[in-house]
Amino acid sequence: MNLLGRSVSSTDVWGTVTENSYDVVGRLTGSVVTPPAGSAVSLGYSYNLDGEQTVEQLNGHDIADGSYSSTTGRLSGITYPSASGAAGNGTSDLPYGIGPA
């Protein structure tokens, strides 16, 4: 735990180690998950100036990009980019089936 009570490192019953990192305002910015046998997996998270999560990465490649309504601030869409340097499947989705915000 860090001084703000957030988990910095943990090990589960199978020996998998998860190490978390945070930005200066306490938002989760990354996790590295290392199984006892095998390769580590890195997850990264980016936020806009309003503190909304905008990008999720897997091993440094974008897998999900969120967009938000400028009027309501609600999540209005998610894309899963598949272009060069991305790891998504090339689709897009509206969250929770609520339609455009």
Side-chain angles (χ1 to χ4, degrees):
M1 296 271 181
N2 65 13
L3 293 174
L4 298 175
R6 293 179 177 87
S7 173
V8 176
S9 182
S10 63
T11 304
D12 68 17
V13 297
W14 297 280
T16 299
V17 177
T18 302
E19 297 174 308
N20 299 312
S21 56
Y22 303 88
D23 63 14
V24 295
V25 294
R27 297 175 298 208
L28 181 66
T29 57
S31 296
V32 176
V33 180
T34 308
S39 299
V41 173
S42 173
L43 301 166
Y45 310 96
S46 298
Y47 303 87
N48 63 20
L49 293 176
D50 293 323
E52 301 158 332
Q53 184 180 334
T54 54
V55 177
E56 186 166 340
Q57 293 185 323
L58 175 66
N59 293 328
H61 301 286
D62 289 2
I63 58 171
D65 297 330
S67 56
Y68 296 83
S69 167
S70 60
T71 56
T72 66
R74 293 186 334 184
L75 183 64
S76 59
I78 303 169
T79 58
Y80 305 95
S82 63
S84 177
N89 62 10
T91 63
S92 61
D93 193 11
L94 294 173
Y96 317 112
I98 59 173

